[in-house]
Amino acid sequence: MIDLSTQIGPKLHLKNPILTASGTFGYGDELADLIDLSRFGGIVTKSLTLHPRAGNPSPRVTETTAGMINSIGLANIGVDAFIEQKSESLRSFPGKVIANIAGRTEDEYAETLKKLESQEWIAGYEMNVSCPNVREGGIEFGAKPEILDRIVERFRGLTDRFLMIKLSPNVTDIRILAEVCQKRGADAVSMINTVYGAAIDIKTRKPLINTVIGGLSGPAIKPIAVANIIKTRRAVDIPIVGVGGITCGADVVEFLLAGASAVELGTVNFFNLNAAAEILEFLEEYGVAQGIGSIAELVGKAKV
Ligand code: RRO
């Protein structure tokens, strides 16, 4: 039997390499009646901000040939309501809880993180410096190395917990950004956030989402994610958590071989409620068939 547990740097141990991708499971409660979340190694929450946000106007999601485009605009209940309303259920979650944090300003990120530090059940943070859909904040913190350098150094000074930075593919060279994260003491990077995308209704000639351009996710972006992981694996030693278009167990193995130590499932959960269970079953069968004893034996082992 393959041991499905995986270690993401010294600070985060997961019982299996499957996490939820931020924004696709709310705070662990959305879809909870439909999907057995206890199967997941961990939950990554929807991005939390210092104050509640209503997000962008509708339409803010549209389906495309091999995925979907979203422009949610960081809608969330805010960090205080999160702590008040969600801690009881998340505290008893059997996997690890990773809080995803976003902000309009560097101070907002910092204030949100400080509030979450009071919650001992939070295993760590995924810092969202890559949201493609907001005017202030989001990708502006994650696209320029000098800004990322400053902000990651600040986050590191605020917590000893697991600290992961979620990077965008909508940049010139993701490796330089990952190197900055490593230099400033991040425990891991996750990649990729969504890829800029747009779609137009040919009858009305109007864009299919309100902000015109949004973030493309789903199977369409899987090869982009794999390419970014391969590139980054060659550039840094810190672990990579892979995300982008995974739909099945074979995809997960591909991400592990490319260099990811764990993966996040997002869009797939909207069309296959059983995805995580099927993936875990596949990994067990694959482990037996290939004579593999642990997830670590696969990480970064592609012949590239
Ligand atoms: O809320 C969003 O519009 C959003 C976020 Br914060 C993100 O990081 N990535 C994305 O595709 N959408």
Side-chain angles (χ1 to χ4, degrees):
M1 275 277 280
I2 182 170
D3 173 7
L4 289 180
S5 69
T6 182
Q7 190 69 34
I8 319 294
K11 292 184 182 164
L12 188 73
H13 184 78
L14 299 174
K15 65 180 178 186
N16 69 57
I18 313 298
L19 301 161
T20 65
S22 177
T24 56
F25 279 87
Y27 315 99
D29 43 2
E30 271 169 35
L31 304 181
D33 297 341
L34 303 170
I35 296 180
D36 179 10
L37 279 180
S38 67
R39 301 295 303 271
F40 284 78
I43 295 176
V44 183
T45 69
K46 171 68 184 159
S47 293
L48 296 161
T49 51
L50 190 57
H51 305 292
R53 288 176 58 104
N56 293 332
S58 295
R60 53 190 196 179
V61 181
T62 190
E63 201 172 327
T64 59
T65 311
M68 60 181 261
I69 300 171
N70 85 81
S71 181
I72 306 300
L74 263 174
N76 79 100
I77 59 176
V79 66
D80 290 334
F82 171 75
I83 292 171
E84 266 163 44
Q85 297 165 22
K86 310 294 177 185
S87 41
E88 200 182 316
S89 60
L90 285 173
R91 193 187 292 276
S92 57
F93 175 67
K96 298 287 161 62
V97 179
I98 313 278
N100 181 301
I101 301 178
R104 276 184 309 155
T105 63
E106 296 178 28
D107 286 345
E108 275 194 20
Y109 279 93
E111 289 311 309
T112 305
L113 196 156
K114 279 187 211 157
K115 284 179 184 254
L116 292 168
E117 280 285 281
S118 66
Q119 305 300 305
E120 82 297 339
W121 47 271
I122 294 176
Y125 306 102
E126 180 178 66
M127 306 307 294
N128 186 354
V129 293
S130 45
C131 174
N133 299 326
V134 287
R135 285 223 173 85
E136 295 167 283
I139 197 170
E140 86 187 42
F141 293 114
K144 295 210 177 93
E146 59 281 9
I147 298 179
L148 190 65
D149 190 294
R150 191 173 68 222
I151 192 171
V152 176
E153 184 181 24
R154 184 161 177 196
F155 300 153
R156 185 69 287 172
L158 293 172
T159 183
D160 290 329
R161 294 184 197 175
F162 175 75
L163 180 67
M164 175 162 79
I165 316 296
K166 187 167 187 180
L167 297 177
S168 171
N170 306 319
V171 295
T172 310
D173 191 344
I174 200 165
R175 287 172 295 193
I176 294 168
L177 301 161
E179 282 165 2
V180 164
C181 295
Q182 172 167 277
K183 183 175 109 202
R184 289 301 177 198
D187 296 299
V189 286
S190 49
M191 62 180 61
I192 53 175
N193 206 322
T194 50
V195 179
Y196 283 135
I200 297 163
D201 183 321
I202 61 164
K203 288 203 188 100
T204 63
R205 302 188 179 190
K206 288 188 176 158
L208 284 162
I209 51 169
N210 183 282
T211 52
V212 184
I213 292 169
L216 175 66
S217 63
I221 71 166
K222 195 192 86 175
I224 302 174
V226 173
N228 277 286
I229 292 166
I230 290 172
K231 271 174 29 177
T232 305
R233 179 70 292 145
R234 290 170 169 161
V236 297
D237 297 321
I238 53 173
I240 301 168
V241 171
V243 51
I246 291 171
T247 62
C248 62
D251 290 349
V252 173
V253 174
E254 198 179 341
F255 272 62
L256 296 172
L257 292 171
S261 299
V263 297
E264 299 177 0
L265 304 186
T267 306
V268 65
N269 300 303
F270 298 136
F271 60 87
N272 179 7
L273 295 172
N274 215 23
E278 287 170 11
I279 286 170
L280 291 171
E281 206 171 300
F282 178 93
L283 292 178
E284 274 166 7
E285 285 166 14
Y286 179 85
V288 171
Q290 301 274 325
I292 289 159
S294 72
I295 292 295
E297 288 176 36
L298 292 170
V299 176
K301 295 293 160 55
K303 296 176 182 164
V304 292

